[in-house]
Amino acid sequence: MRGAYNLAGSVQARRAHLGEAWLWGAALVFIVGLSLADGLLADIVAYERDTAVFYFPLMSWAAEQLRQGHLPLWTPQFFGGYPIFADGEIGLAYPPVLFALLTLPPDRAFVVLRLLHLSLAALGMFALARTWGLPYPSAFLAGVVFTFGNFLQAQIHHENIVRTTSWLPLTLACIERGLQTADWRAQLRWTALGAGALGLAGLSLHSQMLAIDLLIVAGYAAMRLAVGPVSGLSTAKGRLLGVTRVFAPVVVLGLGLAAVQLMPLIELAGFSARGSGIPYAESAAYSLTPVGLAQVIFPYLFRGPGNVQWGLWTHWESYVYIGLTPLVLATAALVLARRREVAAWGLTGAVGLLLALGQYSPLNLHYLLCVLPGLSGLPAPRRFTVVVVLAGAMLSAYGLAWLIDASRCRIAVRRALIGASLLVGAMSIALVGLHAALSARPIAARDAILAWYLSLPHDSYPLSDSDVYSGLLWSTDVRNPRVAGALLGLALIVGVLWVWQRSRLGRWRGWPATLAGLAAADLLIFTWGIHPREPLANIAAEPAAVQAVEQLPTRDATPNRVLVSPALNQAAADRLASFGTVQEASGYSSLQFIWHRDYLGRVLYVDDGLLDLWNVRYVLDPAQYGALSSYKDVSFLPPQALLHAPAGSALAEQRFQLDSASPIVELRFVTALLGAVDVPQGAPVAQIELRDASDQIVGTAELQAGRDAMEWAWDLSSVQPFIRHQRVESAGVIFEGGSEPRERQLSFADLEFPRPVSATTMLVRATPPVGEFALFGGTAIGADNSADQLFGKTKAKYHQVYVDNEIRVLEDTAAFPRAFVVPRARVAPSLGTALSEMIHQPFHPDQEVILADDTTTQATVVSPDRGGEGSARVTDYSAGSIKIHTTASADAWLVLSDTFYPGWLASVDGQPSTVLRGDVLFRVVAVPAGEHEVELRFEPVSVKLGLLISIVALLALGGAFVAAGMRRRPGRTT
């Protein structure tokens, strides 16, 4: 199978080549260092939003915890609490990450880990190519292509994707060595090494990439069954046995080694939206588009003038590029090197390409994968381009090896070079012709773009036919430096091959290294152009508003919890995690709990008592709002309501601060009624109270159905015949989630006062007899025609404590304490209905807690109505342990507004107690009358079980190495 290219020869020859192997390996590491030179010298890194809002801040926080002697299983820094170890994306079970964070500053560790894993990918690919008997220049080229091809470099800001993928080539190399050897000891040793590499990939961890790694390993097993002997066995049965005894232990022991990470991850995934699978339309997002295949030659195809993106998906999920030199060499291998292993790698690349095309593929293999058990959550099909890059690396290595081989057919080389020259010329002419056609017929081009391109599934960011047309013109213009560079690069490569293969200079031994160097230079240029680059110090800079919040006092031992507006990128998601005295109610993770997602979604939609209940002490809001919807001087934002509740709920009343000094002569509102088909004409649906500085009522009004507000589905033909009130003036439309038709009508109300009213606050109370009332905007018109808007954080509970040009910080004076006591509990009607009970039914959070109808609640024999009034105070607070002092007049319920998760254990005065989930999200413990000390500790069983499995797997690997190292006893003679 490898005879033509196997230059290793005997053991003595391999030893003679060892020095050369070290030189080629050192060259690979040098090129990796060159790609990260700005990071190594000045901590400047390629980044995207995830770098700033997830990876670097959380690694910084984890580094601080580790240096304090804690392995953080839980973080209270975002989501109101989250099992950071189980998430795995930071790599807290992964030895290289732990070592780097313990020994280096976070910024140095961040860069060094990138250097380590890109070097590992390059050297692993070099080793894989060598196991297939390819010469050193070919193996070097394979390492360059895999490391600097589109996949790892486009995903460089996803640290865990890079970590998990970097172990793949080494895993395959160890497997291949195990398959090649007939000696059982050597085979056992290589099998154990392969299992170790796969285990480290599992500890790294990106779950999707680990699944892809396993699929590649399975595909490699199938390829090796079909191609060549295994352990010297050439029969089908022998190959099957040989493959099984290497692959099965690698997978079983590798996953066993990673169990300490995988077991908690599986538990966490079960509580996320991905736990039960995701719709295929969502999984198929970020498929590689057919138009994107042109990126194999023009990698910046989707960048228009000024780097404006016109691809269907975000740019780092769109590339497919292995370099021009490797592309030419891979093509040469497929066309000229007629060998089974070349055909096998070509088939591997083709399968990877079909998978990457996803929903755009003529044969949707990705869909077939997603219907398999356990693989329904495989999003972003384009990530299967890792298979394309792997196969491209091997094929380009074979192409270079074929050219090095002195026995090659020179006539075939000559024909191939003539064909390549003609192809480059034809491509240039076609490009010029396409550009001319686009310029000559812009209207037809835009019609075609709308019909054939923008009609395809695509990302949510705005993209018009004008954007695409402008991008196409730029990407087909030979005056575009990147287009011209690609064409000239192809011409240069063909020219170099002509000189090497067809001139007297062809005997020079440096030609293979020259081609490998051209590939490295091309891919380095590509690498540096993918992502923006910024110093880590700037990425991690603490906003002045956050510094201000850090200085604010706390109520007890708990840090202040904040909620950051989604519009504030500079303080977004987990970016506050590294600032230990500030905790974020929101957050970012691909495995966000379903119950947190739902609760947060409600809080972001309407600012009411549920925000207060969450112990959000401070809200970070934009200092200036962007474009808002407006109707007759009433500003509003359809996705955000100011009030939305049924009558009688604690959420049904909101008080707003009025800033205008002018007396009020008119009130205007934008509202909606929901589920109010049966509300009769003239029924009051909201009460308005105007109060002065002494809180005395100085004016009242009411909104009535059919005069001021209407059912928002009034225009639907299926609903209209049954509505009992008239249609009112529409203030615009809003779109409801769910099935079509989704368009709903907003109502406009205009109330005039017979005489001016001087007021400082306005109270709005929902009173619909049926259904719910929603307030989206309101304006108080003064006698001087001034307009005092209700939209924004104008509620009376807010007190501004800081403002700058970008951010203002508001204290929520109505926020509940982190821990409090209520006398009553009731169980939600069914699992998943607690939030609906809190929103759509009368609910008073200071008097009751709604328990989840889950197995833990069902197994708890405690009287719901315990009757005790009292208080709670947090006395000690850390990531994995909380102590609370409670005082109650009778038996009661302790509510801690930190996120519930299995693994939290409670004790009351040292006696075990059950932790329940209440009010959708929080931890609830039954406490007896009197004063007591409650302690909560995070000790998840999944981590303990996973650790036990990992220890067993580690012992098995150690035993394999011991057995492989034992000397064979000399045979006894008679």
Side-chain angles (χ1 to χ4, degrees), residues 133-155:
L134 291 164
Y136 287 115
S138 293
F140 173 85
L141 178 63
V144 167
V145 172
F146 187 78
T147 307
F148 299 105
N150 66 273
F151 186 79
L152 284 176
Q153 294 303 320
Q155 299 289 345

Side-chain angles (χ1 to χ4, degrees), residues 24 152 188 217 219 242 445 447 452 537 547 567 597 685 688 698 704 707 739 762 810 820 851 880:
W24 284 103
L152 284 176
L188 185 61
V217 167
D447 289 344
W452 299 100
Q547 295 177 17
R597 178 202 65 190
V685 294
I688 315 296
V698 293
Q704 297 179 8
R707 185 193 72 181
S739 58
M762 179 194 303
L810 302 164
F820 56 95
L851 301 176

Side-chain angles (χ1 to χ4, degrees), residues 609-610 613 647-653 816 820-826 837-839 841-850 895 919:
L610 295 190
L613 178 61
S649 168
L651 310 179
E653 185 174 295
F816 277 52
F820 56 95
V821 171
V822 297
R824 297 187 304 277
R826 56 186 168 101
E837 287 288 300
M838 295 166 71
I839 296 171
Q841 302 296 328
F843 170 61
H844 300 278
D846 59 339
Q847 294 296 312
E848 63 179 337
V849 60
I850 299 178
V895 180
D919 290 349

Side-chain angles (χ1 to χ4, degrees), residues 85 93 203 253-267 940-954:
F85 181 90
L203 291 170
L253 290 178
L255 293 179
L257 188 64
V260 67
Q261 179 63 80
L262 297 179
M263 294 298 289
L265 174 71
I266 292 169
E267 180 183 49
V941 174
S942 58
V943 174
K944 296 177 182 179
L945 178 60
L947 180 60
L948 178 62
I949 296 172
S950 292
I951 290 173
V952 171
L954 187 61

Side-chain angles (χ1 to χ4, degrees), residues 503-582:
S503 76
R504 295 179 180 178
L505 298 175
R507 295 182 180 179
W508 181 48
R509 298 181 63 185
W511 287 115
T514 299
L515 283 174
L518 283 174
D522 174 17
L523 286 170
L524 280 174
I525 293 170
F526 166 68
T527 293
W528 275 64
I530 298 175
H531 302 286
R533 306 177 89 87
E534 188 77 20
L536 280 170
N538 293 353
I539 291 173
E542 184 176 10
V546 178
Q547 295 177 17
V549 174
E550 287 187 291
Q551 304 305 314
L552 296 170
T554 61
R555 286 181 175 174
D556 49 27
T558 59
N560 286 322
R561 179 174 289 160
V562 304
L563 180 67
V564 180
S565 166
L568 293 175
N569 285 326
Q570 62 271 50
D574 310 335
R575 192 167 186 174
L576 307 187
S578 56
F579 313 131
T581 57
V582 178

Side-chain angles (χ1 to χ4, degrees), residues 67-365:
R67 288 174 185 171
Q68 293 175 2
H70 308 299
L71 176 63
L73 302 181
W74 182 268
T75 177
Q77 298 304 109
F78 61 98
F79 285 159
Y82 184 69
I84 187 68
F85 181 90
D87 180 276
E89 294 191 76
I90 301 305
L92 291 174
Y94 182 53
V97 166
L98 292 175
F99 182 77
L101 294 181
L102 279 168
T103 58
L104 297 170
D107 52 353
R108 288 281 82 196
F110 195 81
V111 176
V112 167
L113 285 168
R114 283 191 178 181
L115 174 67
L116 170 67
H117 290 98
L118 291 179
S119 298
L120 175 65
L123 295 174
M125 196 67 214
F126 178 85
L128 178 61
R130 288 294 295 158
T131 62
W132 282 80
L134 291 164
Y136 287 115
S138 293
F140 173 85
L141 178 63
V144 167
V145 172
F146 187 78
T147 307
F148 299 105
N150 66 273
F151 186 79
L152 284 176
Q153 294 303 320
Q155 299 289 345
I156 193 69
H157 60 293
H158 290 138
E159 311 299 323
N160 53 334
I161 288 182
V162 173
R163 291 196 304 259
T164 303
T165 307
S166 66
W167 287 99
L168 174 63
L170 184 60
T171 302
L172 296 178
C174 292
I175 288 172
E176 184 58 38
R177 289 299 299 269
L179 292 174
Q180 289 179 19
T181 182
D183 178 68
W184 72 269
R185 290 179 177 82
Q187 186 175 82
L188 185 61
R189 183 166 55 250
W190 286 113
T191 300
L193 286 171
L198 183 62
L200 286 166
L203 291 170
S204 19
L205 163 80
H206 188 277
S207 56
Q208 181 193 16
M209 292 315 303
L210 179 62
I212 291 176
D213 281 1
L214 291 170
L215 289 171
I216 292 173
V217 167
Y220 193 84
M223 182 177 76
R224 289 296 280 109
L225 275 173
V227 178
V230 175
S231 303
L233 303 172
S234 57
T235 65
K237 184 177 179 181
R239 288 200 303 270
L240 179 61
L241 178 63
V243 166
T244 302
R245 70 186 180 203
V246 172
F247 278 88
V250 165
V251 173
V252 172
L253 290 178
L255 293 179
L257 188 64
V260 67
Q261 179 63 80
L262 297 179
M263 294 298 289
L265 174 71
I266 292 169
E267 180 183 49
L268 173 60
F271 297 107
S272 76
R274 297 186 180 185
S276 57
I278 56 179
Y280 183 70
E282 188 175 334
S283 290
Y286 304 105
S287 296
L288 177 65
T289 60
V291 175
L293 294 176
Q295 291 176 110
V296 296
I297 297 174
F298 305 104
Y300 299 110
L301 172 72
F302 292 124
R303 293 196 185 184
N307 274 341
V308 174
Q309 301 290 332
W310 59 275
L312 295 179
W313 305 103
T314 187
H315 73 97
W316 61 80
E317 299 287 5
S318 300
Y319 296 103
V320 52
Y321 188 67
I322 63 170
L324 296 176
T325 302
L327 178 65
V328 171
L329 293 174
T331 305
L334 289 169
V335 174
L336 302 173
R338 302 181 184 278
R339 304 186 62 83
R340 285 189 302 167
E341 56 267 38
V342 172
W345 282 112
L347 179 62
T348 299
V351 171
L353 188 60
L354 285 173
L355 285 166
L357 286 167
Q359 60 189 322
Y360 307 125
S361 173
L363 177 61
N364 195 344
L365 297 182

Side-chain angles (χ1 to χ4, degrees), residues 741-775:
R742 297 171 52 233
E743 189 175 283
R744 302 291 184 266
Q745 297 294 323
L746 297 177
S747 305
F748 176 73
D750 189 349
L751 307 176
E752 295 184 358
F753 289 94
R755 63 179 185 275
V757 177
S758 295
T760 57
T761 61
M762 179 194 303
L763 186 144
V764 180
R765 183 182 299 113
T767 61
V770 179
E772 299 169 7
F773 171 82
L775 172 67

